[in-house]
Amino acid sequence: AQSVTQLDSQVPVFEEAPVELRCNYSSSVSVYLFWYVQYPNQGLQLLLKYLSGSTLVKGINGFEAEFNKSQTSFHLRKPSVHISDTAEYFCAVGGASKLTFGTGTRLQVTL
Amino acid sequence: SAVISQKPSRDICQRGTSLTIQCQVDSQVTMMFWYRQQPGQSLTLIATANQGSEATYESGFVIDKFPISRPNLTFSTLTVSNMSPEDSSIYLCSGGGNTGELFFGEGSRLTVL
């Protein structure tokens, strides 16, 4: 069985500040890990993914995430956020394309 | 990335009626799934759409309520049957291949009155 815990339901941050969105997972098998973003009234867009190899993964829009096996975490980071980053962010774990999603973190960027 | 097209994008339906959502994917996709996203919540997998055979449903979802077809590799439909207000959600079609990642359509926003 697989599960994902996103520890923060909402994260308010000022523009140009750094941000970290936290994600912890559990899985009984080898994991694939993903972060998706959902802008208002839109579907989900893949930000980045970890399948294997380097534990630091870089994605689109300046986001990156680090896979930490010992802490079973896959936290998402951005060094400087923009107003346009305001959205819902979902962490997901899976394999063979079947994903389990976390409950989401609402990132609210203000001036 | 794969292209996933869904229609309708939104609909308002009366209680007791049924609605069929269509999903078309491009040829990069081998697996297709249907998810539900209830208002303000995360995504829940309804079922895996299997080509030419019955879909595989997750716990809490049944074929009588959510019949799914996948007559070929790139097309699938989800029907929400005998709708009630509790079925008001966004229904998302997704597709995946050998890379382990899923691609999503824009979703179908359903409101049941």
Side-chain angles (χ1 to χ4, degrees), chain B residues 8-9 12 30 37 48 60 67 70 74 86 109 112-113:
Chain B
S9 58
I12 300 173
T30 55
Q37 186 179 23
T48 302
R70 188 180 176 190
T74 61
E86 292 72 33
R109 186 179 298 270
V112 184
L113 303 177

Side-chain angles (χ1 to χ4, degrees), chain A residues 17-102:
Chain A
V19 70
E20 177 180 85
L21 306 184
R22 297 180 293 170
C23 172
N24 287 91
Y25 70 91
S26 67
S27 176
S28 57
V29 297
S30 298
V31 295
Y32 297 157
L33 293 159
F34 306 86
W35 276 98
Y36 286 84
V37 60
Q38 186 177 36
Y39 298 104
N41 299 313
Q42 294 189 28
L44 272 73
Q45 181 181 4
L46 180 68
L47 270 179
L48 49 78
K49 61 186 177 184
Y50 171 80
L51 303 181
S52 65
S54 173
T55 57
L56 183 63
V57 180
K58 294 189 181 298
I60 62 171
N61 301 341
F63 285 93
E64 64 180 33
E66 185 159 17
F67 170 59
N68 188 319
K69 187 174 182 179
S70 62
Q71 297 186 6
T72 60
S73 68
F74 191 56
H75 300 332
L76 180 70
R77 302 185 183 97
K78 187 170 182 177
S80 176
V81 296
H82 189 268
I83 288 284
S84 60
D85 292 323
T86 294
E88 192 83 20
Y89 291 78
F90 293 97
C91 182
V93 61
S97 296
K98 188 173 178 179
L99 298 187
T100 299
F101 286 83

Side-chain angles (χ1 to χ4, degrees), chain B residues 15-99:
Chain B
R15 182 195 299 261
T17 62
S18 298
L19 177 74
T20 295
I21 302 167
Q22 298 180 9
C23 179
Q24 182 76 47
V25 303
D26 69 19
S27 58
Q28 297 180 55
V29 168
T30 55
M31 303 186 71
M32 293 182 71
F33 305 89
W34 288 96
Y35 283 83
R36 180 174 73 181
Q37 186 179 23
Q38 294 179 299
Q41 297 188 31
S42 186
L43 283 76
T44 301
L45 180 63
I46 297 172
T48 302
N50 299 309
Q51 182 186 355
S53 65
E54 189 173 293
T56 304
Y57 289 85
E58 298 298 308
S59 176
F61 297 96
V62 295
I63 188 172
D64 290 344
K65 177 67 176 178
F66 297 102
I68 289 170
S69 77
R70 188 180 176 190
N72 58 55
L73 192 62
T74 61
F75 184 78
S76 177
T77 65
L78 166 72
T79 299
V80 186
S81 303
N82 188 24
M83 289 183 286
S84 67
E86 292 72 33
D87 294 320
S88 297
S89 291
I90 301 172
Y91 293 87
L92 293 135
C93 174
S94 67
N98 297 325
T99 60

